[in-house]
Amino acid sequence: MTKYIFVTGGNVSSLGKGITSATIGRLLKGRGLRVTIQKIDPYINVDAGTMNPYQHGEVFVTEDGAETDLDLGHYERFIDQNLTRNSNVTTGKVYESVIRSEREGKYLGGTVQVIPHITNEIKSCIRQNARKSRAEVVIVEIGGTVGDIESMPFLEAIRQFRNNVGAENSMFVHLTLVPFLHSGGELKTKLTQHTVKELRGIGIQPDMIICRSRRPMKDDLKAKVSLFCDVPKECVIDAVDTDEVYELPLIFDDEGLADLIIRRLGITTDEHDMTEWKEMVKTIRNPEGKVTIGVVGKYVQLRDAYISIREALKHGGIASRAQVVTKLVDSTTLERGCPPKQLEKLNGILVPGGFGYRGIEGKIKAIRFARENDVPFLGICMGLQSAVIEFARNACSLSGANSSELDPDSPHPVIDLMVEQRSVTDMGGTMRLGAFPCSLNEKSIAGASYNARTVDERHRHRYEVNNKYRERLEKHGLAFTGLSPNGELVEIIELPANRYFLATQFHPEFKSRPTRPHPLFASFVKSAVEHSKEKGI
Ligand code: GLN
């Protein structure tokens, strides 16, 4: 029988439900169990694809081409497993499906209602993911905070779910905030009591309460939560703030979290292996060097907008046993004519993906700086497109070169809309999305980094390098070292004249894991380490 763990959150958003769910997944994998994690987002958007990164952070892309919530990135990194579109459910998706059935007449004249039609659809999404993933334990994170109007149908659905599968096969984990009040110098549990009361009002009694706190919780405080919230004392888990998220599985393991879950769900397993994870954390905690990488983009005010890139850089650092400091550089400030002074102390420059014109000229400036000063450079998606524009303009004398996304009247559209995108009018879910194969040139940095002939990488774009300009760009020294198997689409470019100048049309950051750093991030950071040693910065 499949076991289900439902993770809810109280008090405030951004408590770390995503990381907590991912951590539980990691711990159960360490016990030799097949797991999967699913995120339920109460917003009405059908998927995260149409959302501005300022609102929800980065859009994470799965292997099968779904544009999802960034928590799926945490899940994949922690459990080291590819997830699918079934791992992200939204209100929009649920209603879309129910309304389609209604239009098809499937409800045979019945009144279509939140209970049971919407809740049934939610439960069927959970079951479908469980079936398709063939997991032994399914972790379901409910987005938002208990008490939000939008999450009500989801909470009702999981309440019913417990009844359907039996209490012995399901458990509720509730994450709460235990604030530290400076005036009294103590941690406070009242917020936890209130949110649990609210949860019980909905009919859900938590089996375990994970308390986010700044200081360790003493035993008497745990006893208080236990008494007021009706959970055994050992099921009140203290989640003290840590500066290193990858340490969380080890902290929770020490708290006995996995043992409690296994016991509660009646699972028997003798395995308990966190060696690889421990080694990885040890490497992070004991770096042998330090490099600074500038990420030049326009969404720099929100940390989460480039979360997978930041994590992938960190993973690249693990491969080189170096600490990577990521400095976010606002491309719009470079654009406004600021001298590239902010770029001078960097050991590497990364230009990430993006949409629209704002900030592009700043990215191009940063790329020119990297190219002319031989600073290691990694471009991703729009980063590749900006690098081609820069090279066309400044090395091939194609003045006015641009992408037709940014300047439809450019005399040299070196980046142009893909043929299959020309008739597309809908914005949601219509880009070239998900994993596609890429053939590598063996004698290139890409070929050497991957040590493979073909790789699958995840995409999210509409535009591509215009094949009409390929010959001209090549003549001036740009190399196309990764192509689609039929040779029609440019996937990777390099400048062999530089120490490390590489850009990809795909998003390598989505496939990087702390225990398996992505080959391109590993080679990029390695080159930054060499740059640092050579320049003494
Ligand atoms: N806007 C560009 C395109 O659609 C790049 C997209 C991206 O960077 N993800 O092709």
Side-chain angles (χ1 to χ4, degrees), residues 432 435-440 453-457 459 470 482-491:
R432 180 175 182 238
F436 290 94
C438 163
S439 306
L440 303 168
R453 298 298 298 270
T454 334
V455 288
D456 278 312
E457 290 284 5
H459 295 69
R470 254 157 80 167
L483 297 172
S484 57
N486 66 4
E488 282 303 308
L489 299 173
V490 171
E491 293 282 7

Side-chain angles (χ1 to χ4, degrees), residues 199-487:
L199 197 58
R200 287 159 119 185
I202 300 166
I204 296 175
Q205 166 63 42
D207 299 287
M208 179 181 279
I209 299 175
I210 300 185
C211 304
R212 274 295 300 271
S213 60
R214 200 178 291 169
R215 311 256 165 116
M217 275 169 83
K218 296 219 176 74
D219 247 24
D220 58 337
L221 219 62
K222 285 189 179 180
K224 198 167 164 191
V225 174
S226 161
L227 176 71
F228 279 97
C229 303
D230 225 2
V231 294
K233 194 169 132 228
E234 70 267 23
C235 291
V236 179
I237 306 287
D238 189 12
V240 187
D241 289 357
T242 160
D243 59 342
E244 179 47 67
V245 288
Y246 294 133
E247 202 153 32
L248 221 57
L250 305 180
I251 296 174
F252 279 2
D253 212 16
D254 286 346
E255 286 261 325
L257 190 109
D259 288 322
L260 287 167
I261 292 178
I262 286 169
R263 219 180 314 136
R264 166 67 185 75
L265 291 173
I267 299 170
T268 38
T269 164
D270 297 330
E271 258 187 82
H272 188 173
D273 186 5
M274 293 294 283
T275 328
E276 190 189 27
W277 199 265
K278 267 189 197 143
E279 279 304 311
M280 180 268 292
V281 172
K282 204 163 122 196
T283 310
I284 295 181
R285 286 292 188 202
N286 301 287
E288 285 163 11
K290 181 166 132 181
V291 290
T292 309
I293 308 279
V295 173
V296 184
K298 63 176 168 181
Y299 307 114
V300 291
Q301 273 83 352
L302 188 78
R303 278 176 66 89
D304 279 353
Y306 298 117
I307 180 102
S308 288
I309 286 182
R310 299 168 72 111
E311 293 304 311
L313 283 171
K314 193 157 140 188
H315 307 162
I318 296 173
S320 284
R321 309 191 77 85
Q323 182 195 354
V324 177
V325 176
T326 304
K327 193 175 153 209
L328 295 177
V329 178
D330 186 348
S331 53
T332 57
T333 61
L334 289 170
E335 197 165 75
R336 271 185 250 119
C338 293
K341 218 170 166 248
Q342 320 173 56
L343 308 175
E344 271 163 16
K345 291 258 155 39
L346 301 174
N347 304 117
I349 292 178
L350 189 153
V351 176
F355 293 83
Y357 189 64
R358 197 173 68 85
I360 285 298
E361 294 301 329
K363 288 184 175 177
I364 291 174
K365 236 184 191 177
I367 294 167
R368 183 172 194 174
F369 180 89
R371 184 173 62 83
E372 293 182 344
N373 295 287
D374 202 16
V375 178
F377 166 74
L378 180 60
I380 294 175
C381 208
M382 187 60 116
L384 173 140
Q385 299 176 1
S386 312
V388 170
I389 297 169
E390 191 281 320
F391 194 75
R393 286 184 192 170
N394 303 320
C396 308
S397 316
L398 291 169
S399 107
N402 216 327
S403 160
S404 44
E405 175 186 6
L406 313 170
D407 176 8
D409 302 320
S410 165
H412 298 296
V414 289
I415 305 293
D416 204 4
L417 203 56
M418 283 185 281
V419 179
E420 57 272 33
Q421 285 288 333
R422 302 223 160 115
S423 53
V424 171
T425 48
D426 267 11
M427 292 300 275
T430 55
M431 279 185 256
R432 180 175 182 238
L433 287 167
F436 290 94
C438 163
S439 306
L440 303 168
N441 175 341
E442 262 177 296
K443 293 189 194 66
S444 65
I445 293 180
S449 306
Y450 281 107
N451 195 18
R453 298 298 298 270
T454 334
V455 288
D456 278 312
E457 290 284 5
R458 301 183 194 173
H459 295 69
R460 183 173 184 247
H461 64 117
R462 294 184 205 282
Y463 292 80
E464 59 163 333
V465 173
N466 186 340
N467 285 341
K468 287 190 203 122
Y469 288 90
R470 254 157 80 167
E471 215 181 300
R472 180 127 181 208
L473 293 162
E474 233 164 3
K475 224 165 58 208
H476 286 84
L478 197 70
F480 301 105
T481 58
L483 297 172
S484 57
N486 66 4

